[in-house]
Amino acid sequence: MEKGILFKDHMIRSIQSRTKTNTRREFLVDRNREIKQVIEVDKGQWLLKINSRPDQIVTCKYGNPGDKLYVKEAIHFDGKTKHYRANFQDDPKSVKWVSPLFMKRTDARLWLQITDVKLEELHSISEDDAIAEGIERVGPWLWKTYDNSEVATSSPQTSYLSLYASISKYSKEVMELPIYVFSIHFKLI
């Protein structure tokens, strides 16, 4: 299976530098705290034990280990050459970029192969997985916070959660609600 996947420009640069090898994609915000247990029943399939409702089998819409993803990114054609916005640290405002939503598979330059998929609660992210999400180191033991503050953190998990909150539609709820995500591990191919 081949499927497109969106990333912000700075995350595309992290993929290119091979510092980003994981991504988490939202599956469910458990507003009522109804999920009792998540059990992997087969590779790529999970059983959700839910209070007051029948159990549910779920799969990751992005694929399973071995499947390929192409990175959808903003692109511009000048008649001869394809230009990718992620190649620029500062977005040239004079360029008319085609939205990543409309990028064709044939224009993709970055391909990823899924190596593992897990369904887990967002806050259970490990230090290693947070670092593999491509968070930015700002000092020997400090990581960037993505909430527009000048404060850094010594916790990779806190850095990642601030990154997630900065791009999630549930930004105000990230620290309060159980959010279940597909943790997709990949390699650049």
Side-chain angles (χ1 to χ4, degrees):
M1 178 171 92
E2 294 178 350
K3 188 164 179 81
I5 189 167
L6 295 166
F7 289 98
K8 299 277 189 185
D9 291 344
H10 67 283
M11 290 290 106
I12 292 170
R13 290 190 287 274
S14 294
I15 291 169
Q16 290 175 304
S17 67
R18 291 180 162 72
T19 57
K20 181 171 181 64
T21 57
N22 286 2
T23 189
R24 278 161 175 69
R25 299 299 160 123
E26 213 160 83
F27 167 67
L28 175 73
V29 177
D30 190 12
R31 293 187 184 287
N32 300 321
R33 303 185 190 303
E34 291 187 336
I35 296 178
K36 293 188 297 187
Q37 191 176 14
V38 175
I39 303 166
E40 186 171 15
V41 292
D42 200 1
K43 202 65 176 161
Q45 287 190 327
W46 294 267
L47 174 69
L48 299 182
K49 296 273 193 185
I50 305 170
N51 288 334
S52 71
R53 287 192 286 159
D55 294 347
Q56 181 180 354
I57 296 279
V58 297
T59 59
C60 177
K61 71 178 185 178
Y62 292 97
N64 291 308
D67 291 339
K68 294 179 182 171
L69 301 169
Y70 63 94
V71 176
K72 296 180 82 167
E73 55 184 309
I75 189 169
H76 169 74
F77 297 101
D78 66 8
K80 296 181 198 175
T81 309
K82 296 175 189 174
H83 300 278
Y84 299 90
R85 189 176 62 203
N87 287 349
F88 301 91
Q89 287 292 340
D90 295 314
D91 177 9
K93 301 294 184 207
S94 60
V95 174
K96 186 171 185 209
W97 298 104
V98 173
S99 167
L101 294 172
F102 304 111
M103 182 184 181
K104 298 176 187 164
R105 184 177 65 82
T106 54
D107 293 328
R109 62 181 175 149
L110 299 174
W111 287 81
L112 312 174
Q113 184 169 31
I114 297 174
T115 57
D116 193 21
V117 178
K118 296 181 262 185
L119 178 59
E120 59 189 24
E121 206 277 320
L122 178 67
H123 297 93
S124 70
I125 189 168
S126 70
E127 184 173 308
D128 288 342
D129 278 354
I131 293 168
E133 284 282 353
I135 57 173
E136 189 178 329
R137 188 183 293 271
V138 294
W141 302 104
L142 293 174
W143 303 93
K144 179 178 180 173
T145 54
Y146 294 85
D147 57 4
N148 296 323
S149 71
E150 297 294 321
V151 178
T153 178
S154 60
S155 164
Q157 293 97 325
T158 300
S159 174
Y160 174 72
L161 290 173
S162 75
L163 171 63
Y164 192 91
S166 76
I167 60 177
S168 172
K169 63 183 174 185
Y170 300 106
S171 59
K172 292 180 175 72
E173 299 159 316
V174 163
M175 299 310 270
E176 299 162 12
L177 290 174
I179 298 175
Y180 288 85
V181 294
F182 286 109
S183 171
I184 304 166
H185 299 243
F186 57 82
K187 64 180 179 180
L188 181 62
I189 52 175

